[in-house]
């Protein structure tokens, strides 16, 4: 007999909601968390300037009206400390900590075919048996490790933004180098520049970024949201991005440049990614329309940055805007007007190594006291692959995904019974409001487990054929968009050797919810193999 019904790996947004919903359904659950606190992404990513790029009133749970009414967000875009406080509050308010084991890193999970159970092994050697395992490991939680030659020789301090010290870092009077200008770097660089004596930014690929226009939330607007929070959430669940919109954008094709410019100016002034990406419905479908927005943002960069050469280096070319997750910033481009900030284009002069004194690009050694690596993650599939997961016949998940990660509806993998993924490869989560997507996944998973229990079914799994079929569908949908035209972490381009494939489902939350609902309405038998055990039958 299993120790628990559900073993959940990870105590972030997904893991906490799984613990709550499973216990509400009468299921026993144990959440295993590698960190010393709850929060997942928001526990680990403590770097300066860390905050969400989805508005806080939407980037939060919708499952409890009482929680929505009592929690007060202070800013339009919540900072890491505030989001972490929120998740800690949720853990306490719903008495979830009794289900959570902190400082407990999962190293392996093996399916026992004779007992139809999983054995989950921790770093300390503890073994937990469970009827079901849910990987709530997060899409951006496996940091890409710095592999620059000579790092071990560096005499200063170095940090990865995804493993930031709890007490922070004081850069006062320090010479600092930041490697990477993705979303994390774009948030951290202005904060570090304000402290450091000198900051050198090493940029390989410039990214499009738009102003957040972050500000304190006013009591009146909070009251207005809370007066119809349920309605707002309902609209979000049928919105492609999981974020409700009061307007329905029209196609930009055929419109004049003057009209487009007015739309873009309004979006730029409003702030945030939706303000611009929702200007037109075909921005991620029509190359000409997309190019007009690219030109608009590049012109803004030129207006903001004083030095023409620096502005040109910061201006992205060669991929559509929005095909990488659009960055949202506070004073990022203006930071390069500071006299203590230097920009190095490592496409022209690549990083060749690290010395005792600093970091080398070409023939130049940039002498620094601190190195900061904002180099991203092995996204979507990386965190699961860090665990030695073995299904039927002892086959490892890493082997199953050797040619590219595939999972039916982003939820299950053939040959791995009773193993669920939250926001796995083939789900749409990273293309919008992650919390809205993960709530849907958690609800679907727990509803499925309840169905299996009611009907005496021991195992559920997809097949390699259904995984491949869903992956083809994901490919087909992506091919109708501009997403695959960028070398992004969406396709694994940032990880050497990772099979290139556009992993997220680009059809939107509304379409995805309908597809998942159809699978459930048909008793799961159309997309999955159900087995009642040795004395039962398979469907």
């Amino acid at each position: 007999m299993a120790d628990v019904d559900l073993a959940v790996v990870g105590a972030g947004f997904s893991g906490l909601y799984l613990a709550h919903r499973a216990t509400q359904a009468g299921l026993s659950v144990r959440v295993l968390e590698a960190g010393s606190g709850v929060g997942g992404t928001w526990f680990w990513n403590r770097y300066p300037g860390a905050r969400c790029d989805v508005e806080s009133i939407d980037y939060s749970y919708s499952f409890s009206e009482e929680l929505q009414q009592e929690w007060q967000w202070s800013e339009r875009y919540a900072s890491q400390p505030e989001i972490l406080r929120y998740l800690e509050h949720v853990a306490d308010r719903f008495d979830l900590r009794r289900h959570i084991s902190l400082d407990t890193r999962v190293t392996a999970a093996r399916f026992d075919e004779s007992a139809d159970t999983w054995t989950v092994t921790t770093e300390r050697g503890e073994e937990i048996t469970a009827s079901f395992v849910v990987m709530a490991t997060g899409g951006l939680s496996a940091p890409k490790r710095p592999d620059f030659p000579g790092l071990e020789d560096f005499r200063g301090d170095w940090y990865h933004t995804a493993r930031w010290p709890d007490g922070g870092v004081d850069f006062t009077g320090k010479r600092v180098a930041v490697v990477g200008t993705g979303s994390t770097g774009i948030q951290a660089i202005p904060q570090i520049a304000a402290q450091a004596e000198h900051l050198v930014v090493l940029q390989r690929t410039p990214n499009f970024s738009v102003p957040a226009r972050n500000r304190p939330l006013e009591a009146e607007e909070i009251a207005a949201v809370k007066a119809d929070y349920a309605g707002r959430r309902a609209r979000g669940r049928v919105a492609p991005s999981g974020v409700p919109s009061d307007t329905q954008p029209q196609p930009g094709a055929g419109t004049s440049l003057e009209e487009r410019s007015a739309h873009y100016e309004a979006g730029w002034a409003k702030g945030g990614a939706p303000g611009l990406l929702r200007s037109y419905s075909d921005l991620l479908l029509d190359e000409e329309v997309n190019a007009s927005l690219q030109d608009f943002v590049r012109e803004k960069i030129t207006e903001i940055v004083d030095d023409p050469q620096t502005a040109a280096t910061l201006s992205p070319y060669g991929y559509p805007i929005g095909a990488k997750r659009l960055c949202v910033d506070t004073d990022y481009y203006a930071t390069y007007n500071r006299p203590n900030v230097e920009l190095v284009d490592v496409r022209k002069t690549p990083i060749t190594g690290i010395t005792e004194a600093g970091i080398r690009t070409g023939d130049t050694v940039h002498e620094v006291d601190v190195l900061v690596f904002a180099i991203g993650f092995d996204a979507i599939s990386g965190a699961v692959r860090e665990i030695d997961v073995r299904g039927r016949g002892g086959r490892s998940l890493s082997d199953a995904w050797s040619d590219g990660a595939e999972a039916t509806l982003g939820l299950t993998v053939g040959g791995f019974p009773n193993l669920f993924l939250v926001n796995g490869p083939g789900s749409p989560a990273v293309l919008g409001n992650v919390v809205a997507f993960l709530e849907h996944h958690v609800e679907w998973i727990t509803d499925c487990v309840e169905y299996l229990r009611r009907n005496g079914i021991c195992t559920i799994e997809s097949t390699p054929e259904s995984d491949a079929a869903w992956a083809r569908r994901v490919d087909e949908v992506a091919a109708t968009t501009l997403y695959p035209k960028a070398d992004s972490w969406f396709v694994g381009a940032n990880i050497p050797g990772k099979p290139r494939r556009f992993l997220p489902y680009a059809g939107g939350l509304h379409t995805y919810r309908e597809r998942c609902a159809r699978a459930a309405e048909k008793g799961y038998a159309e997309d999955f193999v159900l087995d009642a055990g040795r004395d039962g039958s398979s469907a």
Side-chain angles (χ1 to χ4, degrees):
M1 183 173 176
D3 297 327
V4 291
D5 296 318
L6 265 70
V8 177
V9 184
F13 264 101
S14 301
L16 292 178
Y17 188 30
L18 274 159
H20 174 67
R21 203 161 198 275
T23 53
Q24 292 293 105
L27 301 168
S28 58
V29 60
R30 186 166 174 196
V31 181
L32 307 168
E33 168 56 51
S36 59
V38 302
T41 291
W42 300 105
F43 172 85
W44 295 106
N45 288 266
R46 302 168 181 264
Y47 61 85
R51 68 177 64 245
C52 190
D53 60 1
V54 175
E55 294 192 36
S56 52
I57 57 174
D58 296 309
Y59 191 83
S60 49
Y61 290 118
S62 68
F63 68 81
S64 168
E65 179 64 17
E66 292 79 8
L67 175 64
Q68 293 184 147
Q69 293 299 325
E70 71 192 20
W71 184 263
Q72 299 290 324
W73 291 106
S74 68
E75 294 182 284
R76 184 183 180 195
Y77 293 98
S79 65
Q80 177 269 334
E82 185 170 16
I83 298 172
L84 184 58
R85 286 196 302 273
Y86 171 73
L87 291 170
E88 291 171 339
H89 170 75
V90 169
D92 292 332
R93 190 195 190 288
F94 296 99
D95 193 22
L96 304 179
R97 292 186 189 272
R98 61 195 172 99
H99 306 293
I100 302 170
S101 299
L102 300 174
D103 296 308
T104 305
R105 182 174 295 278
V106 172
T107 57
R110 183 181 294 271
F111 184 69
D112 182 349
E113 294 181 64
S114 65
D116 287 335
T117 59
W118 283 89
T119 299
V120 179
T121 306
T122 73
E123 197 170 48
R124 293 194 295 266
E126 181 185 6
E127 292 187 342
I128 302 100
T129 57
S131 301
F132 300 87
V133 170
V134 185
M135 292 294 177
T137 46
L140 295 172
S141 56
K144 180 183 178 184
R145 294 171 175 82
D147 57 359
F148 302 100
L151 180 58
E152 66 279 3
D153 299 325
F154 181 58
R155 290 183 301 198
D157 297 319
W158 69 267
Y159 306 96
H160 194 297
T161 49
R163 293 294 181 265
W164 205 255
D166 190 4
V169 179
D170 185 2
F171 295 104
T172 303
K174 301 289 182 68
R175 300 167 301 167
V176 184
V178 173
V179 181
T181 55
S183 180
T184 296
I186 282 171
Q187 289 184 334
I189 285 165
Q191 300 291 317
I192 296 173
Q195 270 196 339
E197 176 184 303
H198 183 78
L199 172 64
V200 56
V201 177
L202 296 107
Q203 171 193 272
R204 181 179 61 184
T205 304
N207 272 285
F208 289 103
S209 188
V210 300
R213 311 291 184 204
N214 192 34
R215 56 176 174 75
L217 290 172
E218 298 178 0
E220 295 78 6
E221 62 185 317
I222 294 175
V225 168
K226 291 191 175 189
D228 185 34
Y229 229 142
R232 184 181 184 89
R233 299 300 197 179
R235 295 191 297 275
R237 291 187 191 100
V238 296
S241 66
V243 176
S245 176
D246 296 327
T247 60
Q248 186 64 39
Q250 301 301 308
T255 59
S256 68
L257 289 177
E258 291 77 15
E259 181 180 342
R260 292 183 196 174
S261 181
H263 274 283
Y264 300 154
E265 284 288 357
W268 185 268
K270 181 179 181 181
L276 283 171
L277 293 182
R278 285 181 177 169
S279 298
Y280 293 105
S281 60
D282 52 0
L283 263 168
L284 282 166
L285 304 173
D286 188 298
E287 292 195 52
E288 189 273 331
V289 176
N290 189 280
S292 69
L293 181 54
Q294 293 177 48
D295 290 341
F296 173 85
V297 175
R298 285 192 287 260
E299 186 175 330
K300 288 294 185 184
I301 297 170
T302 300
E303 292 173 4
I304 295 168
V305 180
D306 295 339
D307 178 62
Q309 182 55 54
T310 301
T313 303
L314 289 167
S315 296
Y317 284 92
Y319 64 91
I321 186 170
K324 297 183 179 185
R325 186 159 176 131
L326 186 57
C327 299
V328 178
D329 73 87
T330 298
D331 298 329
Y332 173 65
Y333 294 119
T335 295
Y336 293 93
N337 295 330
R338 297 178 63 102
N340 68 326
V341 177
E342 174 187 0
L343 179 65
V344 176
D345 184 350
V346 299
R347 290 177 304 180
K348 292 182 178 178
T349 53
I351 298 172
T352 54
I354 294 171
T355 71
E356 291 183 351
I359 189 163
R360 185 189 300 276
T361 58
D363 297 327
T364 302
V365 174
H366 304 274
E367 295 190 1
V368 295
D369 306 301
V370 182
L371 290 171
V372 175
F373 296 102
I375 53 178
F377 302 86
D378 184 353
I380 303 174
S381 59
V384 178
R385 293 192 65 171
E386 287 186 342
I387 300 168
D388 182 15
V389 180
R390 295 184 178 269
R392 294 194 184 278
R395 189 186 190 200
S396 76
L397 187 59
S398 287
D399 285 346
W401 283 355
S402 59
D403 294 327
E406 297 179 349
T408 296
L409 301 178
L411 287 161
T412 68
V413 182
F416 297 83
N418 293 0
L419 176 73
F420 294 104
L421 310 174
V422 178
N423 295 339
S427 84
V430 295
L431 301 182
N433 177 11
V434 174
V435 180
F437 290 90
L438 70 84
E439 280 195 311
H440 167 256
H441 263 194
V442 168
E443 290 159 9
W444 192 95
I445 290 167
T446 50
D447 286 348
C448 178
V449 171
E450 286 188 86
Y451 175 88
L452 301 179
R453 288 297 174 89
R454 286 196 308 271
N455 291 276
I457 298 166
C458 289
T459 63
I460 182 172
E461 61 187 297
S462 53
T463 66
E465 293 75 22
S466 65
D467 295 343
W470 180 248
R472 286 193 299 273
R473 181 57 185 158
V474 171
D475 289 342
E476 291 166 0
V477 174
T480 67
T481 75
L482 302 180
Y483 281 118
K485 294 184 178 293
D487 288 330
S488 67
W489 54 260
F490 293 152
V491 300
N494 62 322
I495 303 297
K498 188 171 183 175
R500 182 178 177 124
R501 163 170 260 164
F502 190 77
L503 290 178
Y505 172 70
L509 175 59
H510 58 317
T511 305
Y512 178 75
R513 287 180 69 93
E514 291 172 1
R515 179 63 181 82
C516 291
R518 190 164 77 245
E521 288 162 2
K522 293 178 181 270
Y524 304 94
E526 185 175 277
D527 297 281
F528 307 95
V529 176
L530 310 180
D531 194 332
R534 300 187 180 284
D535 299 324
S537 61
S538 298

